[in-house]
């Protein structure tokens, strides 16, 4: 039986992809590196250091580990500053309603994000109250597609993976959920999250009603 939900943050609760894009773009422009929305798509769900390595490789650039860390910190400073503009109006449509309903129905809820800035994003949205457990980029060392962040969330909620549904918008995120033995809801196009147990184009369609219908006998009512 499903007792809990674990949510990815970026692309599920709110659309930070645009802010990440702007920050990586600024850094790339300063470095004289090529960076566009297509490359940005490959960073979805990927940790900060893995992201900068993808951009570096895309540009065939030779950069020392130390310099790479410095550049990632620069990008993060730009990104974190841009989060100041985020408000409770910035939930993806449907996300706030779903989180509210899960609270009312007594489900346990965890965050399972790769972002080390999760607490700040949740605070800006006023969403901290919806979560029993916050698993973020500081909670585990192996990032998605490893299942560690979701296993951390389930363990903290005192639930087994098969009692939880994971919401994910990233290919690596759905891979992680599956590797951990979780049920998964994919948010986005078929070519990205078609391997999830159930897929919706956007969060607006991924309501509790629809998810209960899709997973049928896994719910009490
Ligand atoms: C999420 C986003 C990624 C981002 C990662 C790390 O998974 O989808 O694009 O790179 O978090 O975020 P951070 O805030 O720690 O740099
Ligand atoms: Mg995501």
């Amino acid at each position: 039986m499903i007792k809990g939900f674990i949510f990815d943050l970026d692309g599920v609760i709110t659309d930070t992809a645009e802010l990440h894009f702007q920050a990586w773009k600024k850094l790339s422009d300063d470095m004289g590196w090529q960076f566009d929305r297509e490359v940005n798509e490959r960073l979805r769900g990927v940790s900060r250091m893995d992201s900068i390595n993808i951009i570096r490789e895309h540009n065939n650039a030779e950069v020392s580990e130390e310099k790479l860390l410095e550049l990632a910190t620069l990008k993060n400073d730009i990104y974190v500053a841009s989060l100041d503009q985020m408000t409770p109006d910035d939930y993806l449509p449907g996300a706030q309603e779903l989180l509210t309903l899960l609270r009312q129905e007594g489900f346990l809820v965890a965050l399972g994000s790769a972002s080390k800035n999760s607490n700040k994003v949740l605070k800006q949205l006023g969403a901290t109250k919806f979560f029993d457990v916050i698993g973020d980029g500081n909670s585990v060392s192996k990032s998605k597609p490893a299942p560690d962040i979701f296993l951390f969330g389930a363990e903290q909620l005192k639930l087994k993976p098969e009692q939880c549904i994971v919401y994910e918008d990233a290919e690596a995120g759905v891979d992680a959920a599956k590797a951990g033995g979780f049920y998964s809801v994919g948010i986005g196009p078929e070519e990205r999250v078609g391997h999830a147990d159930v897929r919706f184009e956007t969060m607006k369609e991924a309501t509790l009603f629809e998810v209960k219908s899709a997973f049928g006998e896994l719910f009490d009512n």
Side-chain angles (χ1 to χ4, degrees):
M1 285 294 162
I2 299 299
K3 301 279 181 222
F5 284 76
I6 306 180
F7 288 92
D8 173 49
L9 178 63
D10 302 286
V12 171
I13 307 292
T14 183
D15 184 18
T16 46
E18 182 60 27
L19 299 178
H20 278 294
F21 171 75
Q22 298 297 343
W24 284 126
K25 179 73 183 146
K26 167 90 175 65
L27 181 85
S28 299
D29 286 351
D30 289 351
M31 293 296 292
W33 286 350
Q34 199 278 339
F35 182 71
D36 56 23
R37 288 182 188 276
E38 211 177 306
V39 183
N40 192 55
E41 262 306 301
R42 287 163 46 198
L43 311 183
R44 202 178 272 271
V46 173
S47 74
R48 196 181 310 160
M49 290 314 290
D50 287 349
S51 297
I52 195 159
N53 265 308
I54 290 172
I55 300 171
R56 181 190 59 74
E57 275 170 30
H58 174 71
N59 284 276
N60 292 317
E62 291 272 346
V63 186
S64 70
E65 272 306 309
E66 198 187 348
K67 181 75 181 166
L68 218 52
L69 201 61
E70 194 183 299
L71 293 175
T73 303
L74 270 174
K75 177 268 174 179
N76 192 53
D77 291 344
I78 302 167
Y79 174 67
V80 171
S82 73
L83 290 177
D84 286 336
Q85 306 157 23
M86 188 177 268
T87 74
D89 288 335
D90 291 316
Y91 283 93
L92 277 167
Q96 191 175 13
E97 292 78 359
L98 174 61
L99 290 168
T100 304
L101 197 54
L102 290 175
R103 269 275 171 268
Q104 284 169 6
E105 295 213 0
F107 286 101
L108 293 169
V109 180
L111 189 80
S113 168
S115 175
K116 293 187 170 166
N117 297 301
S118 294
N119 276 312
K120 169 138 185 172
V121 173
L122 292 180
K123 194 160 165 256
Q124 293 294 122
L125 291 170
T128 311
K129 60 178 186 276
F130 293 125
F131 294 90
D132 299 295
V133 167
I134 293 175
D136 67 9
N138 305 298
S139 310
V140 296
S141 51
K142 271 208 249 161
S143 47
K144 302 167 190 176
D148 300 35
I149 188 64
F150 297 137
L151 292 171
F152 171 86
E155 197 180 302
Q156 297 283 312
L157 292 176
K158 299 191 170 53
L159 294 177
K160 297 194 176 83
E162 63 269 25
Q163 294 177 302
C164 304
I165 291 179
V166 168
Y167 269 63
E168 256 296 345
D169 71 308
E171 187 176 351
V174 173
D175 291 341
K178 296 187 86 139
F182 295 87
Y183 291 101
S184 55
V185 169
I187 305 298
E190 173 75 29
E191 58 271 26
R192 198 170 78 208
V193 291
H195 53 320
D197 294 316
V198 181
R199 182 189 73 84
F200 298 95
E201 236 4 83
T202 70
M203 277 298 282
K204 210 170 169 179
E205 286 102 56
T207 61
L208 185 55
F209 180 82
E210 288 297 334
V211 166
K212 279 186 175 177
S213 316
F215 287 99
E217 73 276 15
L218 291 177
F219 284 92
D220 299 325
N221 48 51

